[in-house]
DNA sequence: GTGAAAGCGCTAACAC
DNA sequence: GTGTTAGCGCTTTCAC
């Protein structure tokens, strides 16, 4: 501690273990990796003892250098502080750890993910799971470095290397509940956008689901509000809804975060949910239960999706790429509410 | 593509670059690392061109192997899907990336963190930031592998390698607001616990702050509820509060998550916040604004703390270890509420 | 200002 | 069933 530890004492290496156990370093390797060659039980025990005694821990860098792969797995999300992506990250971390993989978390808050994929691939990650839509350059980088880039929970599904919730079906179920169970005729859509000014954005499957469900019921699709994918966006949507769409009696929010803000904003504007306006949403995040009006929401099976995404990174072709949602019925739709309401 | 790519084509290495640029591999190294030796401008350009042309990317494993360190930084949290830890993780990721470090995220959902520290140190991480209290064995592992283990946002501050919000001061401010501004005399504490049955847990500084503030105001400290650190816990606390502490007119919740459940539960129990019970809490998480009653909460400066924690991992002794909170005043305390209330 | 070369700790042929 | 050994891609000392 006196000098600025100029050169840290070397870690205990596989050779130290071999020496103490009285075997060759190869045998230590076979024991540590359970292969690729068999080891006699007695020898194995000696090695294990030596490892224990020395507190030996394999150097992941050396291993990666030779194998060309690591036990690292990249995860790119727009922003982990968003509860949906937080839930996604937690599910992926659990799924990764179940496969003895470590998660490297990267946020794409600003700009493209190509530099992130580049960095990650420099770490020889087994693959990258992205919840941010990769721009063409990012895809090119992944291809060039031969790193599987698995899209997870993106609104515009691809056929290859992607896992997504059934946005379309979930949205239809959430809208159908409003129409069939509660009899609403004017159902607005409140959806997010990443490019507020862009007009040629591909249509989100949740929007498609909302539209088709209304059309099939013979209802109009004139009420559509686009805001940020956040509770603040939902708050803004509430203001818009009361001012520009006064006749609306129900709304489908494309995410719980939006719904949380929407429901709070509606309440503040004197249009309580579900009394004045019924709301359903999409995600099934834990916080939905504690919204100003507990949210009825299409629940996404993140744990299963995460396992599928990790498996896909590891080279397993998943049985299914689209995961059905389950409508969690609470109160924001008008169900089970006592007192003044339109149930 | 026909065979199962038995042996992936070797990546482009530093030698390829050297060959193309017509220099030695050492020079490539000097260019890539900006040192440790100077390189002529013309040579540098040639090298850079070759790198560009070949799409060369340094192999992090090889670099780590020789330097004995990586640009990886470990972060251990109990559960990223908890909004507080999600916010913490996002702040740490940003702070890490600002220092060109990559975050390896590990969750300690079950059991001790020693195995995680062990794994992380095998990856030669520059350090580990933990928001889960390390058990003695974890500390020993970190010591043995000479990995700095920085505690972040732990309720029981240490003197070394730790960064924390001013739990004590923040709690006092939140309680003081209830007492001095709103005149409450019976202020309950709703706090979490990791070991529901343990009785010898060290006292959380938030509890100490709550107690001292009340004592100095000449008030009683008889109302204390311990639940899980979650919104579900807050919901349970609401039930307990109405049944076992009917005289209470205000409560300080030790976390926003608890407060969110508490406020929702109180509302459901017909004791609206802040009308019937005023509430303040601790954290300042984004979601607090959208609680059933927008939360007045002691805001924690996570971004600054994250920068300090990352700096500490990197060997900088922080100017400060304790970070003051800022009371964000909204409505749950009774401020700015029109209509029936006890403002 | 540049090059040659010695390993970092580990894996996996290959030899015995 | 075990040992020997040749690198993996990179950094850095040391010569020039």
């Amino acid at each position: 501690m006196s000098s600025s530890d100029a050169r840290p004492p070397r870690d205990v290496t596989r050779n130290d273990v071999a020496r103490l156990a009285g075997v060759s370093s190869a045998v230590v390797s076979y024991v540590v990796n359970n292969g690729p060659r068999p080891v006699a039980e007695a020898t194995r025990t000696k090695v294990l003892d030596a490892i224990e005694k020395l507190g030996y821990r394999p150097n992941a860098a050396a291993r990666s250098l030779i194998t060309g792969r690591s036990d690292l797995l990249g995860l790119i999300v727009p922003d982990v502080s968003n509860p949906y992506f937080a839930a996604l990250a937690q599910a992926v971390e659990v799924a990764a750890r179940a496969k003895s993989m470590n998660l490297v978390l990267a946020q794409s808050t600003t700009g493209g993910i190509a530099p992130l994929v580049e960095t990650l691939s420099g770490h020889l990650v087994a693959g990258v799971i992205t919840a941010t839509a990769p721009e063409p350059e990012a895809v090119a980088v992944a291809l060039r470095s031969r790193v599987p880039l698995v899209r997870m929970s993106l609104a515009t599904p691809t056929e290859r290397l992607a896992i997504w919730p059934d946005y379309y079906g979930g949205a239809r179920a959430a809208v159908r509940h409003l129409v069939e169970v509660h009899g609403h005729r004017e159902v607005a859509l409140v959806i997010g956008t990443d490019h507020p000014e862009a007009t040629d954005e591909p249509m989100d499957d949740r929007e498609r689901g909302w539209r088709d469900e209304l059309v099939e019921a013979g209802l109009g699709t004139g009420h559509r509000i686009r805001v940020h994918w956040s509770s603040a966006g939902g708050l803004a949507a509430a203001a818009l809804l009361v001012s520009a769409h006064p006749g609306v009696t129900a709304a489908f929010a494309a995410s719980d975060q939006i719904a949380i803000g929407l429901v709070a904003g509606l309440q503040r504007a004197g249009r309580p949910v579900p009394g004045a306006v019924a709301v359903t949403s999409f995600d099934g995040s834990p916080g939905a239960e504690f919204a100003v009006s507990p949210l009825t929401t299409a629940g996404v099976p993140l744990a299963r999706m995460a396992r599928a995404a990790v498996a896909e990174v590891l080279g397993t072709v998943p049985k299914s790429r689209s995961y059905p949602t389950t409508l969690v019925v609470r109160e924001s739709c008008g169900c089970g509410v006592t007192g003044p309401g339109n149930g």
Side-chain angles (χ1 to χ4, degrees), chain A:
Chain A
M1 297 301 174
S2 50
S3 84
S4 58
D5 44 337
R7 190 169 296 273
R10 254 179 56 273
D11 270 337
V12 19
T13 84
R14 193 207 43 180
N15 271 316
D16 302 326
V17 174
R19 202 170 310 122
L20 178 59
V23 300
S24 82
S25 55
V27 172
V28 178
S29 199
Y30 303 151
V31 171
V32 169
N33 303 336
N34 270 320
R37 318 256 9 210
V39 174
E41 206 38 64
T43 315
R44 172 187 305 281
T45 308
K46 274 192 302 187
V47 172
L48 257 15
D49 284 354
I51 287 176
E52 170 72 18
K53 195 158 301 166
L54 260 25
Y56 166 75
R57 196 174 15 275
N59 179 323
R63 181 191 301 233
S64 285
L65 180 55
I66 191 156
T67 60
R69 279 283 98 120
S70 71
D71 66 351
L72 261 22
L73 191 160
L75 174 66
I76 300 177
V77 294
D79 174 5
V80 239
S81 72
N82 175 313
Y84 181 72
F85 295 113
L88 186 150
Q90 101 80 233
V92 173
E93 198 273 347
V94 168
R97 197 158 303 284
K99 296 288 186 191
S100 302
M101 301 248 111
N102 287 96
L103 201 63
V104 180
L105 177 70
Q107 297 184 110
S108 61
T109 335
T110 57
I113 68 171
L116 297 176
V117 175
E118 193 116 12
T119 301
L120 258 11
S121 95
H123 280 282
L124 305 178
V125 293
V128 174
I129 295 177
T130 180
T132 298
E135 70 276 19
E137 200 196 336
V139 174
V141 169
L143 239 38
R144 173 150 48 79
S145 30
R146 294 186 305 289
V147 168
L149 182 65
V150 175
R151 293 158 181 79
M152 178 167 172
S153 201
L154 292 180
T156 50
T158 345
E159 270 143 45
R160 311 181 2 91
L161 300 188
I163 299 292
W164 62 86
D166 179 10
Y167 286 115
Y168 182 80
R172 288 198 64 150
V175 172
R176 188 180 318 126
H177 184 85
L178 255 10
V179 172
E180 295 191 350
V181 177
H182 298 284
H184 292 283
R185 316 291 297 167
E186 301 280 338
V187 181
L189 168 72
V190 182
I191 195 166
T193 174
D194 297 324
H195 317 284
E197 61 292 326
T199 168
D200 61 337
E201 236 173 324
M203 188 185 280
D204 191 298
D205 273 351
R206 284 163 286 194
E207 175 163 353
R208 216 183 305 278
W210 162 79
R211 185 199 60 190
D212 289 2
E213 188 65 31
L214 291 185
V215 168
E216 283 194 17
L219 303 175
T221 60
H223 306 294
R224 179 166 144 283
I225 297 177
R226 286 171 93 186
V227 290
H228 284 291
W229 284 112
S230 65
S231 295
L235 211 52
L240 246 43
L241 203 61
V242 302
S243 63
H245 306 265
V248 160
T249 63
F252 165 61
S255 82
D256 282 353
Q257 285 308 299
I258 287 181
I260 286 169
L262 177 67
V263 154
L266 251 12
Q267 168 87 0
R268 293 180 200 173
R271 310 221 52 209
V273 174
V277 181
V279 171
T280 57
S281 63
F282 194 98
D283 278 355
S285 40
E289 185 181 349
F290 303 100
V292 166
S293 176
L295 261 29
T296 289
T297 174
V300 170
L302 281 176
R304 287 174 53 215
M305 287 168 56
R307 282 193 292 272
V310 169
E312 176 131 53
V313 158
L314 266 26
T316 306
V317 177
K319 286 180 271 298
S320 173
R321 305 196 162 285
S322 172
Y323 286 75
T325 62
T326 309
L327 196 68
V328 181
V329 178
R330 286 195 275 246
E331 298 176 12
S332 64
C333 57
C335 277
V337 175
T338 56
N342 68 346

